[in-house]
Amino acid sequence: SKTAYIRTKPHLNIGTMGHVDHGKTTLTAAITKVLSERGTGSSTQYVSFDRIDRAPEEAQRGITINIAHVEYETDTRHYAHVDMPGHADYIKNMVTGAAQLDGAILVVSALDGIMPQTAEHVLLARQVGVDHIVVALNKADAGDEELTDLVELEVRELLSAHGYGGDSVPVVRVSGLKALEGDPRWAAAIEALLDAVDTYVPMPERYVDAPFLLSVENVLTITGRGTVVTGAVERGQVRIGDRVEVLGAETETVVTGLETFGKPMESAQAGDNVALLLRGVPRDAVRRGHVVAEPGSVSPSRRFTAQVYVLSTKEGGRSTPIATGYRPQFYLRTADVVGDVDLGDAAVARPGDTVTMTVELGRDMPLETGLGFAIREGGRTVGAGTVTEVR
Ligand code: GDP
Ligand code: MG
């Protein structure tokens, strides 16, 4: 039988961000390799580049979810790490909260410097409340030292411009590729990067005493056992045998199995990435975006007021203003729902503006003050906001 997950260290969720081809996936594989080779006491399993890059795609309700989770352990912490292949995957998974990042590793190629997606991911991280970023200045094996110094300055400036305190952010020069090839110098650089993550990214506050809530990221069927939903526990705790409510499916059931990274566990808590086996729930009844919660703990609604930042054209947003009557998609937690925008007295909102709007969603959702969301239209993000009042 499978070994149970034993919680011996605090658990954090992190991930790589950055422009395509700057080496996010290579670095992710290198981290698992270096940690797996630490010798006795290391519980980390090496995950190869191919296994990360070819994470299965799950298409549900027209959204392709493409997200690879790997896990590893340093001396002091257990990490779940997400890596995503394309820019659109970052938008979907970060903004919707599927990738609940407590901190991020921004990967910047020392050869190329800041590229458009580097800047967009920093902006995105700020919008979704990622408060701590560590920089991996990658491809340092191939870079010229003076040029790398310039890239470092440029990255620090970018971070400062987004409120990340660029002067104090750790910037570590690494080579994911050389570390993956077993070069000891570059393996040491990966260790230095992990030390920076361990020390610079604080343990976030976990609302373990709040009622349980998990937004469904994925739904799978285990033949003979039933329907499994996966996602990150947003708050509270859940144990095998607990009654839960599935909002969206409007059904109540019992959790009959609980796993994290394929290991069975007795109880899960806020911050954990888990799979829940739900008794007697047909697979078709549950979808990405539904919410599993302690029965009666949330009352869904569809109207809210929000503070919204309309992305500028330069940030990939619209080139024309929005007005009352606008009907884009709202990405809340792992759900995407159409919504009607009412701008009230402010007749229009231009790209680059921050505005207050009232939104009427196409269906009821568990909403609460402080909940972040993205506004998307025709496959791109045009706004990012926070719920200020549920109506
Ligand atoms: P991603 O799109 O950010 O995930 O980038 P990948 O990890 O797929 O890497 C893109 C390309 O850069 C591949 O050809 C890698 O072999 C190469 N690469 C990644 N890391 C390094 C590095 O540290 N040094 C060098 N020289 N090349 C690298
Ligand atoms: Mg990649």
Side-chain angles (χ1 to χ4, degrees), residues 24-25 53 83-85:
K24 298 178 295 293
T25 304
D53 223 36
D83 183 56
M84 296 165 246

Side-chain angles (χ1 to χ4, degrees), residues 13-37:
N13 298 305
I14 63 164
T16 30
M17 334 185 281
H19 198 77
V20 63
D21 279 346
H22 280 203
K24 298 178 295 293
T25 304
T26 307
L27 180 67
T28 302
I31 289 173
T32 64
K33 178 150 198 290
V34 167
L35 286 173
S36 72
E37 287 172 354

Side-chain angles (χ1 to χ4, degrees), residues 212-216 218-222 225-233 237-246 253-260 265-269 272-279 281 286 291-294:
F212 169 69
L213 191 147
L214 172 145
S215 190
V216 175
N218 243 321
V219 185
L220 336 150
T221 313
I222 301 186
R225 289 194 70 195
T227 297
V228 169
V229 298
T230 65
V233 180
Q237 309 184 33
V238 65
R239 307 184 153 269
I240 292 173
D242 280 357
R243 282 202 79 77
V244 290
E245 175 179 14
V246 186
T253 180
V254 174
V255 175
T256 50
L258 199 50
E259 284 192 356
T260 188
M265 67 201 308
E266 283 295 311
S267 107
Q269 63 184 46
D272 291 346
N273 282 286
V274 296
L276 301 179
L277 182 62
L278 302 177
R279 177 190 290 160
V281 174
V286 195
V291 165
V292 183
E294 183 180 309

Side-chain angles (χ1 to χ4, degrees), residues 19-224:
H19 198 77
V20 63
D21 279 346
H22 280 203
K24 298 178 295 293
T25 304
T26 307
L27 180 67
T28 302
I31 289 173
T32 64
K33 178 150 198 290
V34 167
L35 286 173
S36 72
E37 287 172 354
R38 269 190 176 178
T40 52
S42 169
S43 66
T44 302
Q45 304 241 323
Y46 168 50
V47 188
S48 72
F49 181 97
D50 286 346
R51 272 177 55 207
I52 300 167
D53 223 36
R54 298 201 196 118
E57 275 186 28
E58 292 275 338
Q60 281 166 20
R61 298 176 52 223
I63 317 174
T64 301
I65 308 150
N66 214 335
I67 186 166
H69 286 270
V70 302
E71 62 164 337
Y72 49 80
E73 231 176 87
T74 61
D75 288 343
T76 54
R77 289 167 166 187
H78 177 265
Y79 288 100
H81 174 128
V82 299
D83 183 56
M84 296 165 246
H87 182 60
D89 305 298
Y90 281 87
I91 308 279
K92 285 175 205 150
N93 295 302
M94 281 181 68
V95 176
T96 62
Q100 282 190 353
L101 301 181
D102 300 317
I105 300 174
L106 178 66
V107 181
V108 184
S109 160
L111 308 180
D112 304 301
I114 293 174
M115 297 291 275
Q117 290 163 11
T118 317
E120 283 174 47
H121 292 183
V122 172
L123 176 87
L124 214 55
R126 185 83 279 174
Q127 290 289 340
V128 302
V130 177
D131 290 332
H132 294 85
I133 290 180
V134 171
V135 179
L137 222 46
N138 194 37
K139 310 197 184 186
D141 60 289
D144 157 280
E145 192 123 350
E146 273 175 41
L147 193 68
T148 307
D149 288 343
L150 283 179
V151 171
E152 177 169 340
L153 278 179
E154 192 187 42
V155 176
R156 289 189 185 281
E157 266 174 37
L158 173 75
L159 290 170
S160 291
H162 288 89
Y164 280 106
D167 293 340
S168 54
V169 165
V171 177
V172 185
R173 296 180 187 202
V174 298
S175 169
L177 190 63
K178 291 289 171 195
L180 208 46
E181 288 169 3
D183 184 321
R185 173 184 166 197
W186 295 109
I190 299 290
E191 293 279 7
L193 177 70
L194 289 165
D195 281 346
V197 174
D198 274 346
T199 52
Y200 189 73
V201 180
M203 188 62 204
E205 188 176 351
R206 303 280 192 218
Y207 299 99
V208 290
D209 296 329
F212 169 69
L213 191 147
L214 172 145
S215 190
V216 175
E217 187 181 320
N218 243 321
V219 185
L220 336 150
T221 313
I222 301 186
T223 315

Side-chain angles (χ1 to χ4, degrees), residues 327-367:
R327 270 189 116 230
Q329 290 297 118
F330 285 80
Y331 282 64
L332 299 121
R333 297 194 176 95
T334 57
D336 76 309
V337 191
V338 69
D340 275 304
V341 169
D342 185 343
L343 288 172
D345 294 337
V348 294
R350 288 179 189 79
D353 286 354
T354 299
V355 289
T356 300
M357 60 171 67
T358 302
V359 178
E360 171 108 30
L361 296 174
R363 65 179 166 93
D364 285 346
M365 297 281 307
L367 299 171

